[in-house]
Amino acid sequence: LATYKLAVLYEAYRQRELGLLDFTRTVPVAEVYVQEDLGTLASVPRQPNGELRVADAVRAMITLSDNTSATILLDLLDHCNIDATLAALGLRATSVNTRDLPTTAMDMARLMAAIVGGEGLSAASAQEMVTLLLAQQTRLGIPRGVPADVPVGNKTGSWDGALHDVAVVYAPGGPFVIAVLTDGSRGWEVIGRVAAAVYWYLAVV
């Protein structure tokens, strides 16, 4: 599911800080990756030779939920490295080593907290990741349940039989993370209603 892109995001910044990944590096966009496109690749900036800058791939993966960028990064960072990083953060049910991409709401909330807090990373990296999440263009889930003037950084995930949203909400009383995973049968509206219930509960307690 597209929420796996949060794991790729965290690992990309982790490897950058270790000197293992250069965000200015360009990578070829092979046909196998182009086939993953669901209509967003045309909006991703490319180099004159058609290659994709790592920094642009990271941005497109989060703000556009671009699948081509995500799969390129997934292979570049290595699936096993990502899973090891997730395990080190305490995620027990999440893996990027299977087509099913299993996860839980608890794991996604934990990962979002690690991203927002920049756990094991610099404050600058944490801020960059949050900035990308705040620029997310799909705002149909958690953001719709929160007052319009409250900043929300989120990452959606959709697949056959699944519709998810994971977010950090910068509420006036302090930020909180929320993960809502559904079977998709009731659409984005139910995710927005859950977000609203959580937001207003925290606002009055």
Side-chain angles (χ1 to χ4, degrees):
L1 304 174
T3 49
Y4 81 89
K5 293 167 185 171
L6 288 175
V8 178
L9 174 69
Y10 183 90
E11 180 66 13
Y13 277 89
R14 189 187 76 86
Q15 290 196 22
R16 187 182 76 169
E17 293 208 353
L18 291 173
L20 301 174
L21 181 65
D22 183 352
F23 272 34
T24 67
R25 171 184 173 182
T26 63
V27 292
V29 184
E31 180 59 29
V32 66
Y33 297 124
V34 174
Q35 292 175 4
E36 297 289 331
D37 179 38
L38 293 178
T40 52
L41 182 57
S43 299
V44 181
R46 305 270 286 276
Q47 300 301 301
N49 63 359
E51 293 193 346
L52 181 60
R53 257 196 345 143
V54 169
D56 292 329
V58 171
R59 168 172 288 277
M61 173 184 69
I62 298 301
T63 63
L64 301 176
S65 200
D66 182 61
N67 286 339
T68 295
S69 297
T71 50
I72 288 173
L73 290 168
L74 194 60
D75 288 346
L76 187 64
L77 299 168
D78 189 85
H79 302 61
C80 292
N81 287 336
I82 298 173
D83 273 9
T85 295
L86 296 177
L89 288 173
L91 279 67
R92 297 289 175 254
T94 303
S95 174
V96 298
N97 267 306
T98 166
R99 186 70 178 177
D100 292 336
L101 300 170
T103 193
T104 64
M106 182 177 292
D107 272 8
M108 284 295 99
R110 172 73 186 96
L111 179 56
M112 181 62 83
I115 289 170
V116 174
E119 292 185 30
L121 303 174
S122 66
S125 287
Q127 184 57 59
E128 284 184 34
M129 290 188 291
V130 168
T131 298
L132 291 175
L133 292 166
L134 289 169
Q136 160 71 243
Q137 293 189 15
T138 303
R139 314 288 288 175
L140 300 173
I142 292 170
R144 74 187 293 173
V146 174
D149 61 341
V150 173
V152 178
N154 70 306
K155 184 69 198 77
T156 58
S158 59
W159 203 258
D160 290 339
L163 195 63
H164 308 330
D165 204 2
V166 186
V168 54
V169 179
Y170 289 93
F176 65 88
V177 298
I178 176 174
V180 186
L181 277 57
T182 80
D183 65 5
S185 62
R186 300 180 69 181
W188 291 112
E189 183 183 355
V190 69
I191 295 178
R193 290 208 308 267
V194 171
V198 171
Y199 179 87
W200 292 111
Y201 172 80
L202 293 175
V204 299
V205 295

